[in-house]
Amino acid sequence: MAGLKYLFSLAAIIFLWALLSLHFGENLIPSPASVGREGIKLLSDKESWGDILITIYRGVTGLIISFAAGMILGIPCGLNRKVMDILSPLVIAAQGCPPIIWISLLMVWVGMSSVIPVVVIIVSLFPVIFYNIAQGVASLEDRLFSMARIYRVDKVRILKEILLPGIMPYILSSLSYSLSVAWKVTATAEFLGSPAGIGSRLYWAYRYLDMPQIFFWAVVLIIIGFTIEMFVIQPVREGNRNNMGGAV
Amino acid sequence: MIRAEGVKKFYGKQQVLENINLNVGKGEWICFYGTSGCGKTTLISTLAGVCSPDSGSVALGSERVGFVFQDDRLLDWKTAEENILLALRSYYDNKTAMERAVHWLDAVGLYECRFKKPGEMSGGMKRRLNIARCLSIEPDILFLDEPFAFLDSGNIEKIRGRVSEAVLERGATVFMVTHSLEELNGIDYRLVNLDECTLPLVLDL
């Protein structure tokens, strides 16, 4: 039944879009039909697929690195206040620094390349993931680790049976946030500092005022985000909820 | 068996324990009695090693310790059986651990619920699981923080019987916190009335 509802809202959006297009004219808001035609043209071109793949590749790479760093640094910080006190100002500084500064610096340091979007994803995602994981670990500290200490559960089992499952809700919420943010950040970084990828295609479409193409790439980004939410995040979240016996 | 010397403990800026000295032998049942907020939980948590003292020392030896936590401290993502097994696997091989888990789940009337997770259990059931986990490892020292709160009256009798049987069988030492002495009917205990003390606590036992 859910599918039917989605179909209905999709139809409503397209209908509204068509109305706006009629009102403002093709030059400002291209109609769904002309965006569709543009899409077919672009998707039959291998280069467009290359750009889509490169954006996904950058997004995934940045995401994996952010998560790895977030876990590796977040877990000790959650376990130990002192480590947290040392690392936290650095993370806050990184978080406070707008992506545009990183983009400018990196353009000078490494030139236009995949490094820019990947680094920008990391600086945008890492602080959030880091704090989430550290907070998750800290929330287990008082209660469950002391229980494990009393019952002499060894370190490996604490990690495997208490820490990782215990912070799973925090990992999932960071993952859901990160996945939704990663594509937007990648596209923005590519727009400003990369010769390839969806963002760069958007940049050139904008330079040529190719409205159907801008709209088409926007639709692609939305579809990527939507697909991930529907087929990755929601099933995982659902699985975790069942695992908690309906408690969460 | 258990010795504490000059134990101090602060919670933030507030000092809860001022000077705790005790030397308690095997087989004693010590009951800390008092209204809430008098430092009971801090006292037995520090004695058990759940939290470390800010100064002074506590020596438990190599004794096996069981703790019935006031807030249960169960893993929400594990079944009742797995929760008990977590503790049991530290002391027994897999087969014995499994047998003991089943035995103790049955002893506290949770055998039917062994595959349920804490989120699907009532407060009383969680407390019984918490008690079963503590007893299943054959502890030499038991720390019981309001163990019989949340239990319905029908169960209290039975569970208290299980606890005192297990304690007597092993000649174990018990530190118990309670605000209702009726719970201890029929048990030979030594009462420490914390209501007669002022905060921060000074104790010599």
Side-chain angles (χ1 to χ4, degrees), chain B residues 74-104:
Chain B
L74 301 166
L75 305 180
D76 287 333
W77 50 90
K78 287 186 178 286
T79 62
E81 190 176 85
E82 289 165 344
N83 263 289
I84 293 199
L85 282 172
L86 181 85
L88 281 166
R89 289 219 170 95
S90 306
Y91 306 96
Y92 306 94
D93 62 73
N94 275 344
K95 184 167 165 285
T96 320
M98 200 62 210
E99 283 166 11
R100 295 196 67 83
V102 170
H103 170 81
W104 280 103

Side-chain angles (χ1 to χ4, degrees), chain A residues 212-234:
Chain A
Q213 200 176 140
I214 295 182
F215 270 70
F216 168 72
W217 290 115
V219 169
V220 169
L221 281 172
I222 291 168
I223 289 173
I224 293 177
F226 194 78
T227 311
I228 289 164
E229 178 68 33
M230 288 301 292
F231 297 101
V232 184
I233 300 170
Q234 284 194 10

Side-chain angles (χ1 to χ4, degrees), chain A residues 146 149 151-152 157 243, chain B residues 50 63 73 77 86 90 117:
Chain A
S146 57
R149 217 163 36 235
Y151 290 114
R152 300 192 193 154
R157 284 168 63 221
N243 195 25
Chain B
V50 168
E63 312 289 351
R73 307 201 178 180
W77 50 90
L86 181 85
S90 306
K117 288 177 179 163

Side-chain angles (χ1 to χ4, degrees), chain B:
Chain B
M1 175 114 192
I2 170 164
R3 292 170 68 92
E5 278 169 10
V7 169
K8 288 190 203 308
K9 179 78 191 168
F10 289 82
Y11 263 121
K13 284 212 169 106
Q14 207 208 341
Q15 187 172 16
V16 185
L17 308 180
E18 162 66 36
N19 190 6
I20 307 296
N21 294 289
L22 54 81
N23 196 345
V24 173
K26 201 169 157 64
E28 282 201 72
W29 187 309
I30 309 277
C31 175
F32 297 117
Y33 169 80
T35 44
S36 51
C38 69
K40 301 189 299 260
T41 294
T42 307
L43 179 60
I44 71 163
S45 299
T46 313
L47 290 178
V50 168
C51 49
S52 43
D54 290 315
S55 76
S57 67
V58 180
L60 293 175
S62 56
E63 312 289 351
R64 244 180 230 192
V65 175
F67 202 121
V68 172
F69 297 94
Q70 199 177 3
D71 55 355
D72 295 323
R73 307 201 178 180
L74 301 166
L75 305 180
D76 287 333
W77 50 90
K78 287 186 178 286
T79 62
E81 190 176 85
E82 289 165 344
N83 263 289
I84 293 199
L85 282 172
L86 181 85
L88 281 166
R89 289 219 170 95
S90 306
Y91 306 96
Y92 306 94
D93 62 73
N94 275 344
K95 184 167 165 285
T96 320
M98 200 62 210
E99 283 166 11
R100 295 196 67 83
V102 170
H103 170 81
W104 280 103
L105 283 166
D106 189 39
V108 298
L110 287 178
Y111 183 75
E112 305 294 323
C113 314
R114 65 193 185 284
F115 301 127
K116 280 195 177 168
K117 288 177 179 163
E120 303 163 290
M121 297 164 75
S122 70
M125 290 158 84
K126 284 192 255 192
R127 179 50 50 92
R128 280 186 273 151
L129 179 56
N130 182 357
I131 291 171
R133 178 175 61 189
C134 170
L135 297 179
S136 70
I137 61 157
E138 302 181 281
D140 302 303
I141 307 178
L142 289 85
F143 294 91
L144 312 176
D145 194 354
E146 302 273 7
F148 307 125
F150 290 119
L151 292 181
D152 48 277
S153 49
N155 270 321
I156 285 192
E157 204 63 42
K158 183 177 149 197
I159 300 296
R160 186 171 55 201
R162 295 277 182 240
V163 174
S164 57
E165 270 165 39
V167 167
L168 288 175
E169 212 171 278
R170 292 188 59 75
T173 310
V174 179
F175 290 89
M176 175 168 162
V177 157
T178 187
H179 63 269
S180 150
L181 291 175
E182 281 167 35
E183 288 174 348
L184 286 160
N185 279 344
I187 288 172
D188 185 16
Y189 62 89
R190 178 167 158 202
L191 180 70
V192 179
N193 189 345
L194 298 180
D195 281 343
E196 290 164 3
C197 310
T198 49
L199 267 180
L201 288 174
V202 177
L203 275 183
D204 272 292
L205 290 180

Side-chain angles (χ1 to χ4, degrees), chain A:
Chain A
M1 277 299 94
L4 217 68
K5 271 187 230 158
Y6 283 122
L7 222 61
F8 179 77
S9 44
L10 188 66
I13 290 167
I14 293 176
F15 180 68
L16 198 71
W17 175 4
L19 278 184
L20 287 170
S21 167
L22 271 178
H23 182 74
F24 290 103
E26 281 278 333
N27 287 337
L28 286 181
I29 301 182
S31 68
S34 54
V35 172
R37 271 196 302 277
E38 182 70 24
I40 290 165
K41 201 177 82 199
L42 284 168
L43 288 180
S44 53
D45 180 6
K46 260 210 203 109
E47 227 175 279
S48 310
W49 285 101
D51 281 312
I52 294 173
L53 286 179
I54 215 166
T55 296
I56 291 176
Y57 165 75
R58 286 164 174 169
V60 169
T61 310
L63 204 69
I64 290 172
I65 298 174
S66 309
F67 256 88
M71 298 273 279
I72 291 167
L73 295 172
I75 291 175
C77 283
L79 288 172
N80 191 325
R81 264 236 75 86
K82 282 186 197 122
V83 184
M84 186 73 183
D85 290 341
I86 295 168
L87 276 178
S88 163
L90 290 173
V91 178
I92 291 170
Q95 196 175 18
C97 190
I100 199 89
I101 291 178
W102 290 103
I103 296 173
S104 320
L105 287 174
L106 286 162
M107 295 240 273
V108 176
W109 291 338
V110 297
M112 287 200 166
S113 77
S114 278
V115 174
I116 295 180
V118 171
V119 171
V120 173
I121 294 168
I122 296 169
V123 294
S124 322
L125 294 185
F126 168 74
V128 179
I129 299 169
F130 167 83
Y131 276 121
N132 245 317
I133 303 275
Q135 199 189 3
V137 173
S139 76
L140 301 173
E141 164 57 8
D142 297 337
R143 286 163 27 77
L144 299 179
F145 295 154
S146 57
M147 181 275 290
R149 217 163 36 235
I150 288 286
Y151 290 114
R152 300 192 193 154
V153 183
D154 61 61
K155 291 234 159 62
V156 178
R157 284 168 63 221
I158 289 184
L159 184 73
K160 229 174 60 189
E161 300 189 50
I162 301 179
L163 203 151
L164 290 178
I167 60 173
M168 201 40 93
Y170 294 84
I171 294 180
L172 290 180
S173 76
S174 337
L175 187 65
S176 134
Y177 169 82
S178 304
L179 282 169
S180 68
V181 169
W183 314 112
K184 299 172 207 163
V185 172
T186 315
T188 310
E190 286 172 344
F191 186 97
L192 294 168
S194 170
I198 296 176
S200 137
R201 294 294 286 261
L202 263 169
Y203 174 77
W204 289 107
Y206 148 76
R207 288 293 296 268
Y208 290 113
L209 288 180
D210 186 344
M211 295 306 278
Q213 200 176 140
I214 295 182
F215 270 70
F216 168 72
W217 290 115
V219 169
V220 169
L221 281 172
I222 291 168
I223 289 173
I224 293 177
F226 194 78
T227 311
I228 289 164
E229 178 68 33
M230 288 301 292
F231 297 101
V232 184
I233 300 170
Q234 284 194 10
V236 174
R237 209 177 273 274
E238 193 58 37
N240 190 60
R241 189 172 303 133
N242 293 337
N243 195 25
M244 289 290 189
V248 176

